[in-house]
Amino acid sequence: MEEDRSNGNYLDTREADRPIWLMKSPVVVTKAWAKHVSSASSSYSSPESLEIGKIVLSIDPLQPEITPEYSMEIVGAEIRNMPKSYALNMFEDFVPMTAFSEANQYKDTALVGMIDHKFDMKPLGEDIEDYARLCRERTNKAMVKNRQVQVIDNDRGIHMRPMPGIQGLVSSNSKHEKKKPVPVKQTEVKRTRRDRGELEAIMFKLFEGQPNWTLKQLVQETDQPAQFLKEILNELCVYNKRGSNQGTYELKPEYKKAAEDDTNGQ
């Protein structure tokens, strides 16, 4: 067993059948929980014993056929200046998944359970206003650019002169031989990722001018990689699978509210 561990081949399957939940949480909640767990670890507290939230299950005894409703209240939300109540939208149809973890000095991999519930976490009721305020603050902070001026020690401009062999210079032997530039294929263009906060601010501006966008249109407008753009769209938007706006993205209700409040405030 020890030899297998040293080679990284050990897999602990004792908890493979334990039912667990998978939940997608807003960025502000994820960061608050991570900071809370980090603080507990530094104070020698066990992360498993931490109370980060209370889940409320609502059932109508007169209508048992109706799907139960889940909600969550964050513990210590007032101290962290964040919304307290969240709705947990449950998905019943999803691909079966298993969760893994990595722990101890051997970096053993362990199965921690089988996912039987999947949730999407959103602000609930009056807390939508607080979440909209946090979104505006995060957007405004991302739009502030810290520009820096760098002084070049070499004032003779040697590093700014084109050197022999650089594309664009024509040698004396090829004055009349001009080669046509090779066209760059669209698939060969590599797009550089922007800062996530800066890109979110750009996205909000685009959706202010037009409520529905396709992925192809947003890739052209933002000049960002499609996969990176889809990650942010899945967090900020809903995808219309049917109707007159089929195949397009539009902002989630809480972000629409934030955009409207920001526009009215200006």
Side-chain angles (χ1 to χ4, degrees):
M1 181 64 71
E2 294 297 328
E3 182 179 356
D4 290 341
R5 288 189 173 188
S6 63
N7 294 330
N9 298 325
Y10 181 75
L11 177 63
D12 187 353
T13 60
R14 289 174 293 180
E15 300 291 341
D17 297 328
R18 183 178 66 168
I20 59 176
W21 291 5
L22 174 65
M23 183 172 63
K24 180 180 179 183
S25 60
V27 176
V28 63
V29 177
T30 304
K31 290 183 177 179
W33 281 346
K35 186 176 180 180
H36 189 44
V37 172
S38 177
S39 300
S41 299
S42 61
S43 60
Y44 304 100
S45 298
S46 174
E48 290 79 4
S49 63
L50 291 177
E51 184 178 7
I52 57 177
K54 297 180 180 179
I55 296 179
V56 179
L57 174 60
S58 301
I59 301 176
D60 187 348
L62 301 179
Q63 295 179 310
E65 70 278 1
I66 297 180
T67 303
E69 295 182 358
Y70 293 86
S71 61
M72 174 180 285
E73 293 185 359
I74 302 298
V75 174
E78 301 82 1
I79 302 175
R80 304 181 192 125
N81 191 26
M82 58 184 291
K84 179 180 180 180
S85 300
Y86 296 84
L88 301 181
N89 298 330
M90 184 174 66
F91 296 90
E92 297 181 350
D93 184 17
F94 61 92
V95 178
M97 291 178 285
T98 302
F100 294 82
S101 70
E102 193 175 72
N104 70 44
Q105 60 178 333
Y106 299 106
K107 299 297 181 182
D108 294 337
T109 303
L111 288 169
V112 296
M114 182 72 68
I115 296 172
D116 65 345
H117 285 74
K118 184 178 179 182
F119 296 91
D120 189 5
M121 187 177 181
K122 297 181 179 179
L124 180 65
E126 297 179 355
D127 283 324
I128 292 180
E129 297 291 339
D130 293 335
Y131 189 66
R133 174 180 54 79
L134 290 175
C135 290
R136 288 197 301 271
E137 292 176 356
R138 186 175 63 180
T139 301
N140 294 334
K141 185 177 180 180
M143 294 179 68
V144 177
K145 296 183 179 295
N146 297 322
R147 301 183 181 275
Q148 296 181 349
V149 178
Q150 183 177 0
V151 179
I152 301 177
D153 295 334
N154 190 330
D155 58 355
R156 292 180 296 172
I158 294 178
H159 298 297
M160 300 177 67
R161 299 176 187 173
M163 302 301 291
I166 295 180
Q167 185 178 3
L169 293 181
V170 181
S171 63
S172 58
N173 296 329
S174 58
K175 290 183 178 180
H176 304 290
E177 297 177 4
K178 294 184 178 181
K179 296 182 179 181
K180 295 182 178 180
V182 179
V184 179
K185 296 181 180 179
Q186 188 65 26
T187 55
E188 296 177 355
V189 177
K190 292 185 178 180
R191 297 181 169 89
T192 304
R193 291 189 176 191
R194 290 177 177 268
D195 175 75
R196 189 181 185 93
E198 180 183 357
L199 181 56
E200 287 184 3
I202 294 174
M203 298 281 284
F204 284 132
K205 288 293 182 182
L206 289 174
F207 279 100
E208 284 181 14
Q210 179 177 315
N212 294 89
W213 292 84
T214 64
L215 177 61
K216 183 177 180 181
Q217 289 173 331
L218 290 171
V219 169
Q220 293 175 347
E221 290 288 335
T222 60
D223 193 29
Q224 292 295 290
Q227 187 59 37
F228 179 49
L229 203 57
K230 285 183 70 174
E231 293 177 7
I232 297 181
L233 286 171
N234 290 337
E235 181 180 333
L236 303 181
C237 303
V238 293
Y239 181 74
N240 296 307
K241 297 182 179 180
R242 57 181 65 87
S244 57
N245 295 319
Q246 183 179 3
T248 64
Y249 289 89
E250 64 178 273
L251 287 178
K252 292 180 178 178
E254 56 266 31
Y255 290 108
K256 284 184 179 180
K257 180 67 177 177
E260 291 173 1
D261 291 347
D262 193 35
T263 303
N264 295 332
Q266 296 176 356

